[in-house]
Amino acid sequence: MPLILTEEQTMLKEAADGFLAEHAPITHLRQLRDSRDAEGVSRELWRAFGEMGFAGVIIPEEHGGSGLGAVEAGVVAEALGRTLTPSPFFGSSVLAARILIDAASAEQQAAWLPKIAAGEAILSLAVDEGPKHQPSRIATTAERSGNGFKLNGAKGFVLDGHIADALIVAAKTETGTTLFLVDPKTAGIEIERTVMVDAHNAARITLKDVQVDADAVIGAVDGGEGALNAALDLGRACAAACLTGAGDEAFRVTVEYLRTRKQFGRAIGEFQALQHRAAHLFTELEIAKAATLAALQRLDAGADKADLAVSVAKAKAGRVAELAVQEAVQMHGGVGMTDEYDVGLFMKRVRVLNELLGDAGFHADRLARAGGY
Amino acid sequence: MTDLETFRAETRAWLEANCPAECRGPAENDEDRVWGGRNAVFKTPAHKRWMEVMGERGWTAPEWPREYGGGGLSREEAKVLASEMRRIDAQSPLSSFGIWMLGPALLQFGTEEQKKRFLPEIVRGEIRWCQGYSEPGAGSDLAGLQTRAEDRGDHWIVNGQKVWTSYADKADWIFCLVRTDPDAPKHLGISFVLFDMATPGVTTRPITLISGKSPFCETFFDNVRVEKENLVGTLNRGWDVAKALLAHERTMIGAMGDMGRPMGQVAVDSLGLDDSGRLDEPMLRTKIAELEIDVAAFRLSMERVGDQVKARQVSPAIASMLKYYGSELNKRRHELAMAAGGSDALEWESERSKGGTPAREWLRTKANSIEGGTSEVQLNIIAKHLLQLPGV
């Protein structure tokens, strides 16, 4: 398969970029932030995401979605990276939707997939616990109790967890990991909204003797790891797409600045010191885009070692986007440090996306282990 | 099965039957590779056979048209062939400047007679080519070249000197930039010509590099007769051909960023694993993992650029990006190989090092970011042609 978007995918990209530029440009993020919005995301925009078919991009048509794949989800994620738009897309349309599609019962699917596709429900995946992403070391437990399970533990960096209509909690059971679909209003659950550095939102969630019924289990008891990993890998590939979108946009703005900003009587883009750094960054960005698209395509193809392609993409896109935003601020000089200019917002968003679902170090380690070193 | 799946199955079977065991696994160094030509040297008879059977099928140049001896494969079929060759670790049957550089330029600019005459013998590895570009006074400023060709009616007489001519002492023919109009602006008086290195008046002198080897030569032309039928493209417009060819050369040099054994394995062989199964050298492990990420991403980028070129979504200047990144990557790779080898890799003359192979290869890579246009020249091209930054 060629490593470029198909005609249909290009049309989706144009639709997503066009829609976000019109309805949720960076001023939208600023408005939510500066008004200290009670939810931190716009429900209205989320419903519009449903109408446009973005919210249900990977959800099968029988559940009201578009029935598309990872590449298309990545196209939407990249568009969100360009405009830095806060959206339940990651938590609901990517992570939760993937788990529900792959592992949930018919009842669970019927209850939530159409609502996600319509942009009506917000779901959150609670997997991280410590400051770093370590899904192989989940400490939250679920013990058999009565007709179901009792959950204990603490989760963090739960995207949109403060406004979730349902939580998917990953917990340790006797011999493995089990996924639970939990009502956030259940007794014993405490949720603290954590406004993050990029003005997007997550939550800390503590679970103290939280009693859930047996039908809260998604898939098999002790058998949640496969569905969890599939969702994490799709999330990582989409995070890579979001990072390339953010990095690319920060770069575009910076090149424009190099062309127009004058010092010493000429455009600063005439200086070779800056030209070479810009050219280097361009190169890195193109390479990150190739790695990202390849990872998304391999997920869709169910290819051998698609997980490793995902790690290459997440690590590479993360490092490159980091370089892009650092260069963006430095090349803008003093104004790059101001809240008024957007480049600082890109720096913040990239920092969060880098940490999300494993940073470059996490993925480098995963690749090294797979490579036998 | 789709056509492509059928092609894959057939290709796999054919490669299994025809790729000799001796030609599987990484080529150990430059000299082990097959370069073909009138005086071809083969490491084993199997290497000769491998070149010949692949050449017969046109699979040394898989995407060239069949009428010129090529494989006539589509881009997708060529990708399948490459992946099937990688699967069995098949060595390249033929390394060739003819395939990588001259051929694509001839396909674009050559006459029908030139294509029919030169391309099939390139595909079969019968003629080995070298490139006469750089001169003592024309390095990064290549268009400043001074080798001149005087018009003598049906032929030219060429006088001058080239330098950094790769394998000029082993090549059969040369594609060469000469000045045919000394009075025109420097880019507009250059022509692209072909001639036999056995022509009277051509002499070569190998240059010993820091690696102790001599892949490059000085090449001297003293009243060399060049037939006019061997002009490629338009008279005095050789710079257009040269630039197109440079793009192919740059892609080729860039592709060196994706060669050899996985560095993690090289390091494990040298240093071993610790109790938790990790490379017993944690700082190096991190650097190697970062390199392997970049190598994998770069490989995908080469594929993507190929697809973009095919779909006409990108400027030819994109070759500068691949050249820049791939050559820097290859240098990094060999720095890590030296670190992984430790003092073993420092041996210059010993049995274990096979005559200092790691150290010599490491030193050779330092030329990657100079030959074919320096990294700085590539960055200039990217800034000017791809970013449209002002004032270059």
Side-chain angles (χ1 to χ4, degrees):
Chain A
M1 190 188 311
L3 261 180
I4 46 179
L5 296 180
T6 63
E7 237 171 88
E8 292 77 13
Q9 289 162 350
T10 304
M11 281 166 60
L12 177 67
K13 175 183 159 54
E14 284 163 6
D17 282 336
F19 176 84
L20 286 169
E22 187 180 345
H23 298 284
I26 295 176
T27 48
H28 175 75
L29 168 73
R30 288 185 179 277
Q31 190 271 324
L32 291 169
R33 181 192 72 167
D34 296 343
S35 67
R36 307 188 68 78
D37 186 89
E39 298 204 313
V41 298
S42 160
R43 294 265 181 182
E44 194 189 334
L45 185 72
W46 184 226
R47 274 190 297 277
F49 248 56
E51 282 159 25
M52 293 295 293
F54 303 150
V57 62
I58 67 162
I59 293 173
E61 289 176 21
E62 70 255 35
H63 292 296
S66 307
L68 299 171
V71 171
E72 289 82 1
V75 163
V76 176
E78 185 183 326
L80 285 167
R82 289 182 195 280
T83 49
L84 307 178
T85 309
S87 168
F89 180 78
F90 261 100
S92 304
S93 305
V94 175
L95 296 170
R98 181 81 270 157
I99 286 173
L100 293 173
I101 294 164
D102 288 350
S105 67
E107 291 76 20
Q108 289 166 333
Q109 290 185 343
W112 292 108
L113 287 176
K115 286 188 181 168
I116 294 174
E120 286 168 7
I122 294 174
L123 272 74
S124 296
L125 174 64
V127 55
D128 285 356
E129 298 180 346
K132 300 301 280 188
H133 178 64
Q134 289 179 319
S136 62
R137 295 196 210 162
I138 288 169
T140 295
T141 57
E143 289 172 11
R144 287 201 185 265
S145 159
N147 179 33
F149 291 84
K150 200 161 59 181
L151 275 58
N152 278 287
K155 298 287 186 180
F157 204 8
V158 180
L159 301 182
D160 312 310
H162 63 304
I163 47 168
D165 299 301
L167 300 170
I168 295 174
V169 178
K172 277 286 153 218
T173 38
E174 276 170 20
T175 62
T177 302
T178 306
L179 300 170
F180 294 91
L181 187 59
V182 181
D183 182 344
K185 296 189 196 69
T186 312
I189 296 182
E190 273 185 36
I191 299 178
E192 181 201 358
R193 174 183 176 183
T194 50
V195 177
M196 307 305 268
V197 64
D198 58 349
H200 289 230
N201 290 270
R204 290 185 180 278
I205 298 181
T206 49
L207 303 139
K208 192 160 181 236
D209 294 332
V210 176
Q211 183 69 40
V212 297
D213 289 341
D215 62 7
V217 173
I218 300 173
V221 175
D222 296 324
E225 208 165 318
L228 178 62
N229 286 337
L232 293 178
D233 274 334
L234 178 63
R236 288 159 180 156
C238 286
C242 202
L243 280 160
T244 54
D248 209 36
E249 180 64 10
F251 178 63
R252 189 191 65 74
V253 169
T254 303
V255 169
E256 193 49 43
Y257 191 77
L258 294 179
R259 290 199 192 105
T260 50
R261 168 72 175 168
K262 289 209 163 67
Q263 287 287 278
F264 305 101
R266 49 181 165 157
I268 60 173
E270 289 182 44
F271 295 114
Q272 205 173 38
L274 296 183
Q275 288 180 345
H276 282 192
R277 279 161 59 186
H280 172 76
L281 182 51
F282 168 83
T283 301
E284 291 277 13
L285 279 163
E286 290 300 304
I287 289 165
K289 287 177 204 170
T292 300
L293 183 56
L296 292 161
Q297 285 186 350
R298 274 163 209 200
L299 285 175
D300 278 334
D304 206 26
K305 298 184 185 167
D307 56 335
L308 301 183
V310 167
S311 278
V312 167
K314 179 68 166 64
K316 185 66 190 168
R319 284 202 183 284
V320 170
E322 189 175 288
L323 178 67
V325 294
Q326 288 178 8
E327 291 288 60
V329 169
Q330 178 66 23
M331 290 187 189
H332 274 79
V335 295
M337 288 298 296
T338 63
D339 184 66
E340 186 189 343
Y341 263 67
D342 289 338
V343 288
L345 297 174
F346 282 93
M347 178 173 278
K348 294 172 180 181
R349 182 73 185 130
V350 164
R351 185 64 238 147
V352 172
L353 288 167
N354 257 335
E355 212 55 59
L356 184 68
L357 303 174
D359 64 6
F362 173 92
H363 290 288
D365 183 68
R366 191 156 87 135
L367 287 161
R369 283 174 189 279
Y373 66 101
Chain B
M1 276 206 283
T2 64
D3 290 351
L4 210 55
E5 282 164 355
T6 308
F7 178 76
R8 182 181 292 278
E10 288 169 2
T11 301
R12 181 172 295 189
W14 187 87
L15 286 172
E16 279 300 348
N18 288 282
C19 181
E22 297 92 325
C23 301
R24 303 185 190 199
E28 271 167 1
N29 56 44
D30 238 26
E31 286 90 50
D32 290 344
R33 293 210 225 145
V34 173
W35 289 92
R38 290 174 191 147
N39 306 306
V41 177
F42 298 96
K43 191 182 177 192
T44 70
H47 284 79
K48 181 165 191 281
R49 202 164 67 242
W50 178 225
M51 179 189 84
E52 286 170 353
V53 293
M54 286 291 276
E56 264 165 46
R57 276 179 100 82
W59 281 6
T60 51
E63 291 182 69
W64 290 8
R66 292 204 67 88
E67 55 187 313
Y68 307 127
L73 301 187
S74 69
R75 176 152 174 80
E76 292 306 309
E77 287 169 336
K79 280 190 194 179
V80 168
L81 172 60
S83 83
E84 287 302 315
M85 285 177 66
R86 226 178 1 248
R87 194 185 71 85
I88 59 166
D89 225 0
Q91 291 166 12
S92 167
L94 178 60
S95 299
S96 159
F97 297 149
I99 292 172
W100 299 329
M101 298 196 266
L102 178 62
L106 279 181
L107 283 169
Q108 190 180 347
F109 294 96
T111 62
E112 191 58 27
E113 291 72 33
Q114 287 170 340
K115 291 184 215 178
K116 286 232 162 74
R117 175 176 173 196
F118 294 114
L119 294 177
E121 60 189 24
I122 289 174
V123 172
R124 294 192 302 265
E126 290 163 2
I127 293 293
R128 182 171 179 177
W129 286 83
C130 65
Q131 175 190 41
Y133 269 35
S134 295
E135 295 181 4
S140 286
D141 183 15
L142 178 61
L145 60 92
Q146 295 300 326
T147 292
R148 63 184 194 285
E150 271 174 65
D151 193 330
R152 297 285 173 87
D154 64 340
H155 67 278
W156 288 287
I157 293 295
V158 172
N159 280 285
Q161 184 194 341
K162 295 287 173 181
V163 71
W164 311 123
T165 327
S166 304
Y167 304 116
D169 53 336
K170 301 186 175 73
D172 305 314
W173 275 66
I174 187 168
F175 48 93
C176 193
L177 294 177
V178 295
R179 189 158 295 287
T180 37
D181 183 352
D183 303 321
K186 65 179 178 179
H187 291 92
L188 299 177
I190 295 169
S191 296
F192 187 104
V193 297
L194 313 173
F195 53 93
D196 194 321
M197 290 292 278
T199 315
V202 178
T203 50
T204 62
R205 190 157 71 202
I207 304 166
T208 305
L209 298 185
I210 51 178
S211 62
K213 300 199 175 185
S214 310
F216 301 112
C217 293
E218 294 176 288
T219 307
F220 303 91
F221 306 128
D222 181 14
N223 290 323
V224 177
R225 180 187 168 112
V226 175
E227 302 304 326
K228 288 225 169 142
E229 66 193 35
N230 290 339
L231 168 74
V232 178
T234 308
L235 184 69
N236 293 326
R237 292 292 181 275
W239 189 246
D240 296 340
V241 186
K243 271 196 303 185
L245 188 144
L246 271 172
H248 296 293
E249 178 183 11
R250 285 166 182 165
T251 304
M252 167 198 87
I253 295 170
M256 289 176 181
D258 178 30
M259 283 179 18
R261 293 182 66 206
M263 187 51 58
Q265 287 309 308
V266 173
V268 168
D269 289 351
S270 174
L271 302 169
L273 298 170
D274 69 11
D275 294 339
S276 65
R278 296 184 214 189
L279 184 68
D280 203 2
E281 191 73 39
M283 303 295 278
L284 188 59
R285 176 177 186 263
T286 304
K287 286 185 187 169
I288 290 173
E290 286 172 348
L291 173 89
E292 301 223 272
I293 287 165
D294 287 344
V295 168
F298 177 67
R299 176 184 305 152
L300 294 163
S301 192
M302 284 195 293
E303 186 182 333
R304 177 169 174 262
V305 166
D307 292 334
Q308 288 174 317
V309 168
K310 177 113 185 164
R312 300 181 188 281
Q313 291 179 354
V314 75
S315 148
I318 201 77
S320 289
M321 178 188 101
L322 298 179
K323 194 309 180 163
Y324 164 63
Y325 201 85
S327 58
E328 296 295 336
L329 199 55
N330 203 34
K331 289 200 297 183
R332 225 171 101 203
R333 184 187 152 73
H334 281 267
E335 285 296 331
L336 289 176
M338 289 302 285
S343 59
D344 290 348
L346 302 177
E347 292 178 4
W348 191 253
E349 293 174 10
S350 70
E351 199 179 315
R352 181 192 185 109
S353 69
K354 294 184 181 145
T357 297
R360 291 172 198 272
E361 297 266 297
W362 161 64
L363 290 163
R364 171 67 183 86
T365 63
K366 300 307 176 194
N368 293 162
S369 52
I370 302 168
E371 58 201 327
T374 62
S375 283
E376 290 72 18
V377 165
Q378 308 311 323
L379 291 170
N380 284 346
I381 291 170
I382 296 168
K384 179 177 179 184
H385 294 286
L386 299 174
L387 302 181
Q388 277 95 40
L389 286 172
V392 190

